[in-house]
């Protein structure tokens, strides 16, 4: 499975549409998260995604960006309902890890939903701090040394 790594300026309109449609389907429609799905971080992020063979649906996507402290942050990790169980999430995150290591970045953070914590545990992420609410969903800060 090949994953694209592109800024918003590098993405085609089709790619951006497919990525946003998947994020909205899962985070807004399925999970009922109350925070705005699109935010200013999308302007600065590197969007990681894989499209289906027809190039009209995203199968998996996430974004990575430097936060205000200069630390790299992973977010908006999602896999389409049709592609779940194919390990695309772990393949995508491992591709992110390799991409960052090639750029000499040695740590990444994420706000993991508590239901996704076991996924991040299996990828070698560590908890830092207490559980907190974000958009009506319990999360925990996790990091991974690369």
């Amino acid at each position: 499975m090949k994953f694209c790594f592109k800024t918003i300026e590098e993405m085609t309109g089709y790619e951006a549409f497919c990525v946003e449609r998947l994020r909205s389907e899962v985070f807004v429609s399925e999970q009922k998260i109350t925070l705005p799905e699109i935010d200013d971080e999308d302007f600065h992020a590197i969007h990681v995604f894989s499209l289906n063979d027809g190039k009209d649906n995203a199968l998996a996507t996430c974004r990575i960006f430097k936060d205000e402290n200069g630390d790299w942050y992973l977010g908006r990790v999602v896999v389409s309902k049709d592609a779940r169980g194919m390990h695309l999430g772990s393949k995508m995150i491992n591709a992110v890890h390799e991409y960052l290591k090639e750029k000499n970045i040695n740590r990444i953070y994420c706000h993991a939903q508590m239901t996704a914590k076991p996924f991040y545990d299996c990828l070698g992420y560590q908890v830092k701090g207490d559980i907190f609410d974000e958009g009506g969903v319990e999360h925990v800060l996790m990091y991974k040394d690369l």
Side-chain angles (χ1 to χ4, degrees), residues 8 11 20 32 43 48 52 60 64 67 85 87 89-90 98-100 116-118 126 133 142 144 146:
I8 199 77
M11 294 171 80
E20 181 47 37
K32 310 287 187 228
F43 289 122
V48 183
N52 65 350
I64 54 175
D67 67 13
H87 306 287
S90 58
E98 290 305 311
Y99 175 86
L100 293 173
K117 182 184 173 295
Q126 303 292 316
D133 181 275
M142 297 186 81
K144 178 171 175 71
L146 304 173

Side-chain angles (χ1 to χ4, degrees), residues 12-32:
T12 67
Y14 279 100
E15 290 169 336
F17 176 84
C18 291
V19 164
E20 181 47 37
R21 178 169 58 190
L22 175 57
R23 285 172 36 178
S24 292
E25 284 174 358
V26 174
F27 295 127
V28 177
S29 299
E30 187 180 322
Q31 295 183 353
K32 310 287 187 228

Side-chain angles (χ1 to χ4, degrees), residues 77-134:
V77 177
V78 62
V79 174
S80 73
K81 276 186 177 181
D82 295 338
R84 291 180 190 159
M86 298 169 55
H87 306 287
L88 289 183
S90 58
K91 290 175 184 175
M92 178 174 61
I93 301 306
N94 284 324
V96 166
H97 295 161
E98 290 305 311
Y99 175 86
L100 293 173
K101 283 193 267 188
E102 288 173 10
K103 300 199 174 311
N104 296 315
I105 296 161
N106 58 15
R107 182 177 276 192
I108 189 163
Y109 290 89
C110 71
H111 289 178
Q113 292 182 8
M114 288 305 295
T115 57
K117 182 184 173 295
F119 167 76
Y120 291 103
D121 288 338
C122 287
L123 291 168
Y125 281 72
Q126 303 292 316
V127 171
K128 183 176 182 179
D130 298 324
I131 296 171
F132 59 92
D133 181 275
E134 188 170 74

